[in-house]
Amino acid sequence: MPKKILLSLLLLANFLVTKAQDNNASALSIKQIMQGDDFIGHLPSNVHWSENSNTIYFNWNPEQAFSDSLYTYHTTTKEIKKVSFEDAYNIPSSRATYNATKSKKIYSTHGDVFLMDIPSEKITQITNTQAYESQPHFTNNEQHVAYVLNNNIYTWDLHTGVTKQITNFTSTKDKEEHRSEKDEWLYQDQLGLFDVLKTRKAKQDQQDLLYDTADLKKPLPIYTDGKSISNLQLSPNEKYVTYLTIKREKNKGTITPHYVTESGYTEDQKTRSKVGDTPDTYELHVYDIANRKTYPVVLDNLEGLDYIPEYTKEYPDKDYKNDNRIGYISGPVWNTDGSKAILNINANDYKDRWIVLLNAEDGSITNLNHQHNEAWIAGPGIGGYGSGELGWMPDQKSIWFQSEVSGYSHLYSLNTSSKKAKALTSGNFEIYDPFISNDKKHWYFTANKNHPGDRQFYSMSINGGKLKQLTDKVGGNAVTLSPDETQMAILYSYSNVPTELFLKPNPLFSTTNTKAIQITNSTTDAFNAYAWRAPEVITFTATDGAEVHARLYNPDAKVKNKAAVIFVHGAGYLQNAHQWWSVYYREYMFHNLLVDNGYTVLDIDYRGSAGYGSAWRTGIYRHMGGKDLSDQVDGAAYLVKELGIDKDKVGIYGGSYGGFITLMGMFNEADTFAAGAAIRSVGDWAAYNHGYTARILNTPVTDSLAYRRSSPIYFADGLKGDLLILHGMVDDNVHFQDMVRVSQRLIELGKTNWEMAVYPVERHGFVEPSSWTDEYNRIFKLFNKSLLQIKD
């Protein structure tokens, strides 16, 4: 074919592609990047090791199959192999409990319990039922295995194979016969008159006595009184069972209608309640097995239990009531011989965390550590949305835990006798996922010590001291140590390099500084064909003097159009101005497309984001849409002042919390943002769930001011620029109802510069590429039209 004809065809093809992409000058198309993993490549995940430390297991999908499969990498042969379903089904679970010498492990998988002898790799199946056995652990000096079945504890003897039921929870209570005074007189009179009745009663009494004596050999029936039973544990010495009772409150839920269904009828889904729930009641109990009695753990002496929140002073005419502040109780965590146990307790208003020593003999507790935050307790390892991490030090007399008392989440030890605490780590960085080495001489953990957006794996002496960095590549290093601790399987990524699996010798056991070897290559040819940008991680100064971290995508000067888009990540407490592959990978690719079209993009870790310590995390307390929004406004000012952006050409978009901030920006900072795309947004925090919202804003009944100043629906009259609302109609997290209410508010206010796109089959996290494509085509058109005046 002549060169002129070929060149003409290529130019025509390029023109047609560009035209089809609606004024998109990028080599990327929105439809292409919104295919997600099918375009990028299916990345490795869920890494664990074989017990002999020679095989790495991981989930992967290099074949672009319907779903991921299990693969292995052998450290000697260097071979990667796909594991058959049958072999994968029989692989021991990585979630296991080990004996003291780590020669045996106990685990549950597929609803059954298994025991593995590690040196011989022999596996013994302990249960084989249609029921679901769980929570296996060693007891009785590792001679027994305890597990939970049908909400009762059973033990299995390693030597005899005998299974024994330890608890007997029942919803049926034996009814005692109660006679009135008149009936009791008649009863005794009948026995006195008739010998046959007296004889029969004597025989029955004797038989009942035998039955009662026999029952003493069985577990004590424990009446649940209509409460849920949770967190069943048997002490290592098998003297005590602890269990949590939960009185569930009936809080009204919400209905989410499904319009596109297989049946052809509208189908209703029952979903969560709204913030302001009546809290459930939690009580921890002890069952003394030998003495056949139960009793509650008494928590009346918790430090600060009678605390009344400071914000209530703003409501002098309103009585504040929280008669029982006890929230979830996790534990106990027993030391090795079962002589001591610790509990982790959270307040139901989320402002306190207690670590206490449990005296199982009488149910009393001793205060060890009290963490308090006027806003809410959280942070890595502390348990803002879980139980928190803690355990016993090697001496079995001291415990370890994490606390934000210094302003950042750090590692502490505490002697349970003297109650003296010691900071094992310190500094303006945070500790993630700490655990103790096999030899009990040092720690392993991840930390962002070098930079908030760079996570490395470290070791440290068991009693604290200098941190030794074990990984060396800037970015995200998620390390899974081999059981013998000599090798590190690393899921590593950089901001423009998706996650791959690497193998590196542990420097603590290696005499040479060997580099990590890449095991997987997951990205597709189509993905690799584009030169993906590594956004610059910058800081700018906020109005209040705070240094704000952000990702900056800067276009070449020759295509720069002086327009900017600010992206707002979701979840609130999440980090995105970092140097590893983002969970917002579609948005990352979209930002590359925007930059190709001349846009400058800024992605801000605003107040409330993770990775920056307690003050940053709680900077949104009682005012969402306060500093978290002003950080976006200050980011826009930075773009105008430092990067030459036209102040009238700034757009904003984001999903979930990012959608909420977009609404607040369009309503309350209308002179800053000319256009905004609000995706799956919260429009009224009073309509969101309790567990998330009540931490930050308290409850609508107790703190109505916080909800009024934090909810976009109250500020809709401030809309000036062009607003695009996008929402899944079957979103069972942020309900579609929320945006319907906002739209009604905009209608009543006479606002016409807004549009709504709805997605009938999508929940909070979209799954269909067609929905993603439609959504981002609309967002791209919005910015082109509103910021650049480009018409379709």
Side-chain angles (χ1 to χ4, degrees):
M1 181 181 294
K3 290 184 178 179
K4 288 185 177 180
I5 297 175
L6 178 60
L7 179 60
S8 297
L9 289 173
L10 289 172
L11 290 173
L12 178 61
N14 184 63
F15 170 78
L16 291 173
V17 169
T18 302
K19 185 67 177 175
Q21 291 184 27
D22 295 327
N23 303 300
N24 174 20
S26 175
L28 299 169
S29 73
I30 291 175
K31 182 176 181 180
Q32 180 186 43
I33 62 180
M34 292 304 153
Q35 304 305 305
D37 288 342
D38 285 343
F39 170 63
I40 299 166
H42 294 262
L43 311 179
S45 63
N46 298 329
V47 173
H48 62 281
W49 287 83
S50 63
E51 290 297 336
N52 58 16
S53 298
N54 64 16
T55 302
I56 302 173
Y57 296 100
F58 59 99
N59 290 346
W60 200 29
N61 185 8
E63 301 170 345
Q64 302 258 359
F66 182 73
S67 63
D68 288 2
S69 298
L70 187 67
Y71 282 77
T72 61
Y73 174 82
H74 199 283
T75 58
T76 302
T77 66
K78 316 297 183 187
E79 289 183 318
I80 295 179
K81 291 184 178 180
K82 186 176 181 179
V83 182
S84 69
F85 172 81
E86 191 68 28
D87 289 341
Y89 189 87
N90 293 318
I91 289 174
S93 173
S94 59
R95 296 183 177 181
T97 301
Y98 294 83
N99 63 354
T101 60
K102 289 201 169 182
S103 60
K104 289 181 173 62
K105 79 173 188 179
I106 190 77
Y107 61 93
S108 63
T109 186
H110 313 304
D112 288 311
V113 179
F114 297 81
L115 173 69
M116 180 179 184
D117 181 78
I118 293 174
S120 68
E121 299 186 356
K122 179 184 176 182
I123 297 175
T124 302
Q125 184 166 357
I126 296 173
T127 66
N128 187 359
T129 71
Q130 291 296 308
Y132 188 87
E133 292 89 17
S134 63
Q135 304 175 47
H137 56 282
F138 291 101
T139 61
N140 191 31
N141 292 319
E142 301 177 352
Q143 302 305 302
H144 292 168
V145 170
Y147 59 89
V148 175
L149 167 62
N150 293 329
N151 232 15
N152 277 301
I153 291 181
Y154 293 77
T155 60
W156 180 80
D157 192 301
L158 273 70
H159 300 289
T160 66
V162 172
T163 297
K164 180 180 180 181
Q165 184 172 344
I166 304 300
T167 62
N168 178 22
F169 290 97
T170 177
S171 59
T172 304
K173 190 173 185 179
D174 292 337
K175 294 183 178 179
E176 296 181 8
E177 186 178 1
H178 293 285
R179 304 182 188 91
S180 66
E181 186 176 0
K182 179 186 73 173
D183 289 345
E184 180 64 24
W185 185 91
L186 287 171
Y187 176 75
Q188 295 298 337
D189 187 59
Q190 291 292 97
L191 293 178
L193 284 172
F194 304 106
D195 290 341
V196 66
L197 294 179
K198 186 186 299 183
T199 302
R200 287 180 179 180
K201 181 181 184 306
K203 289 180 178 180
Q204 185 62 50
D205 289 347
Q206 187 65 32
Q207 189 176 36
D208 290 345
L209 180 60
L210 291 174
Y211 286 150
D212 291 343
T213 304
D215 284 343
L216 293 176
K217 300 294 185 180
K218 300 177 182 178
L220 175 72
I222 303 174
Y223 181 53
T224 59
D225 194 23
K227 299 175 183 177
S228 300
I229 303 296
S230 178
N231 199 18
L232 278 163
Q233 290 197 45
L234 177 62
S235 64
N237 55 22
E238 295 191 1
K239 288 184 177 181
Y240 306 103
V241 170
T242 55
Y243 58 96
L244 192 64
T245 63
I246 309 172
K247 181 185 177 184
R248 304 284 186 188
E249 296 294 335
K250 294 181 179 180
N251 294 294
K252 185 177 181 179
T254 304
I255 298 297
T256 298
H258 291 235
Y259 292 95
V260 179
T261 63
E262 292 181 7
S263 69
Y265 291 88
T266 302
E267 297 173 3
D268 289 341
Q269 176 190 350
K270 294 181 179 180
T271 61
R272 61 165 175 79
S273 59
K274 301 180 188 294
V275 62
D277 290 347
T278 301
D280 295 333
T281 302
Y282 297 90
E283 293 180 333
L284 190 68
H285 296 260
V286 179
Y287 168 35
D288 183 331
I289 299 172
N291 294 310
R292 294 178 61 79
K293 62 180 181 179
T294 65
Y295 40 90
V297 174
V298 180
L299 302 175
D300 294 348
N301 62 326
L302 288 176
E303 297 172 352
L305 188 61
D306 58 352
Y307 165 75
I308 298 176
E310 286 80 359
Y311 75 85
T312 59
K313 295 176 183 177
E314 295 186 27
Y315 305 92
D317 298 328
K318 184 186 294 185
D319 291 334
Y320 177 78
K321 292 183 179 180
N322 191 356
D323 297 330
N324 181 8
R325 291 186 64 230
I326 302 300
Y328 193 79
I329 307 168
S330 61
V333 178
W334 295 89
N335 63 356
T336 302
D337 63 8
S339 61
K340 291 185 176 182
I342 50 175
L343 301 174
N344 184 89
I345 305 166
N346 293 301
N348 62 18
D349 58 12
Y350 312 111
K351 302 180 187 300
D352 290 271
R353 178 196 186 196
W354 297 275
I355 301 173
V356 302
L357 190 68
L358 169 66
N359 182 356
E361 290 183 4
D362 60 8
S364 63
I365 56 104
T366 302
N367 288 281
L368 296 177
N369 179 260
H370 176 208
Q371 299 173 29
H372 174 76
N373 194 308
E374 181 181 332
W376 76 98
I377 289 287
I382 295 170
Y385 300 98
S387 60
E389 296 185 51
L390 71 168
W392 289 91
M393 295 289 283
D395 65 6
Q396 298 297 302
K397 298 176 182 177
S398 301
I399 62 169
W400 64 267
F401 59 93
Q402 286 182 254
S403 171
E404 278 188 329
V405 66
S406 70
Y408 290 81
S409 180
H410 279 290
L411 192 58
Y412 294 80
S413 64
L414 182 148
N415 185 287
T416 57
S417 297
S418 67
K419 301 183 185 179
K420 290 184 178 180
K422 175 185 177 183
L424 303 180
T425 60
S426 61
N428 294 343
F429 61 92
E430 302 205 303
I431 301 297
Y432 306 88
D433 306 317
F435 62 97
I436 298 173
S437 63
N438 290 339
D439 62 10
K440 312 298 182 185
K441 293 182 179 180
H442 55 268
W443 289 95
Y444 291 109
F445 50 76
T446 301
N448 59 354
K449 183 176 183 293
N450 300 332
H451 183 277
D454 175 39
R455 292 194 186 179
Q456 302 290 337
F457 192 59
Y458 294 88
S459 67
M460 180 186 70
S461 172
I462 193 67
N463 293 314
K466 186 177 180 181
L467 277 61
K468 179 177 176 60
Q469 187 173 317
L470 304 180
T471 48
D472 50 25
K473 300 182 70 171
V474 173
N477 293 272
V479 173
T480 304
L481 273 182
S482 60
D484 63 8
E485 298 181 4
T486 63
Q487 302 173 88
M488 301 186 298
I490 309 170
L491 287 175
Y492 170 78
S493 68
Y494 192 63
S495 54
N496 64 340
V497 180
T499 304
E500 298 288 4
L501 179 60
F502 290 75
L503 179 64
K504 185 179 188 295
N506 184 347
L508 294 183
F509 295 86
S510 177
T511 56
T512 59
N513 187 18
T514 307
K515 291 186 177 180
I517 300 170
Q518 185 171 340
I519 293 173
T520 60
N521 288 283
S522 308
T523 50
T524 66
D525 291 341
F527 178 84
N528 295 334
Y530 182 83
W532 299 100
R533 296 169 177 83
E536 181 184 2
V537 178
I538 64 161
T539 60
F540 62 85
T541 303
T543 304
D544 63 357
E547 289 298 306
V548 184
H549 288 75
R551 276 186 169 192
L552 175 66
Y553 300 76
N554 219 348
D556 292 336
K558 59 184 179 182
V559 300
K560 189 170 183 176
N561 57 23
K562 293 190 175 182
V565 171
I566 293 179
F567 170 66
V568 190
H569 70 68
Y573 189 62
L574 182 145
Q575 185 178 9
N576 206 45
H578 52 62
Q579 294 171 288
W580 59 84
W581 187 245
S582 175
V583 295
Y584 291 99
Y585 53 84
R586 287 184 179 87
E587 290 79 358
Y588 163 78
M589 293 188 289
F590 181 60
H591 297 161
N592 276 265
L593 182 147
L594 286 175
V595 173
D596 288 342
N597 284 276
Y599 289 93
T600 302
V601 180
L602 193 64
D603 175 359
I604 302 170
D605 272 347
Y606 50 86
R607 237 63 68 96
S609 297
Y612 306 95
S614 176
W616 200 265
R617 176 180 65 77
T618 60
I620 58 175
Y621 178 58
R622 298 191 68 218
H623 193 183
M624 297 154 94
K627 290 183 179 179
D628 46 358
L629 175 57
S630 65
D631 286 342
Q632 318 297 329
V633 175
D634 291 336
Y638 166 83
L639 293 172
V640 171
K641 181 180 179 181
E642 303 295 335
L643 297 177
I645 297 301
D646 186 331
K647 67 180 182 62
D648 296 322
K649 294 182 178 180
V650 179
I652 186 171
Y653 90 102
S656 196
Y657 199 98
F660 150 72
I661 288 292
T662 298
L663 291 176
M664 290 294 268
M666 295 300 293
F667 296 164
N668 285 347
E669 296 292 344
D671 294 334
T672 300
F673 303 109
I679 310 167
R680 49 189 176 275
S681 318
V682 174
D684 183 353
W685 285 109
Y688 198 51
N689 70 36
H690 185 87
Y692 179 90
T693 320
R695 285 172 162 81
I696 305 171
L697 299 180
N698 305 305
T699 68
V701 172
T702 62
D703 198 1
S704 58
L705 293 174
Y707 283 81
R708 284 295 181 117
R709 60 174 163 247
S710 299
S711 297
I713 197 167
Y714 295 109
F715 305 101
D717 59 345
L719 178 64
K720 294 181 182 178
D722 297 326
L723 173 63
L724 173 62
I725 298 171
L726 310 106
H727 213 104
M729 293 180 73
V730 293
D731 190 334
D732 47 13
N733 180 9
V734 179
H735 296 150
F736 179 55
Q737 179 194 21
D738 208 356
M739 284 303 97
V740 173
R741 294 175 65 239
V742 168
S743 68
Q744 178 62 26
R745 182 70 180 140
L746 291 169
I747 291 168
E748 292 182 7
L749 289 167
K751 301 293 183 179
T752 58
N753 51 331
W754 64 278
E755 293 181 349
M756 180 186 287
V758 299
Y759 299 88
V761 299
E762 297 291 1
R763 298 181 187 273
H764 195 61
F766 283 19
V767 296
E768 299 299 334
S770 58
S771 300
W772 281 102
T773 301
D774 181 89
E775 189 175 43
Y776 277 80
N777 270 327
R778 293 176 187 274
I779 295 170
F780 184 56
K781 289 178 182 178
L782 169 74
F783 292 141
N784 276 347
K785 179 181 177 181
S786 301
L787 304 183
L788 303 179
Q789 285 73 53
I790 297 175
K791 297 181 180 180
D792 292 347

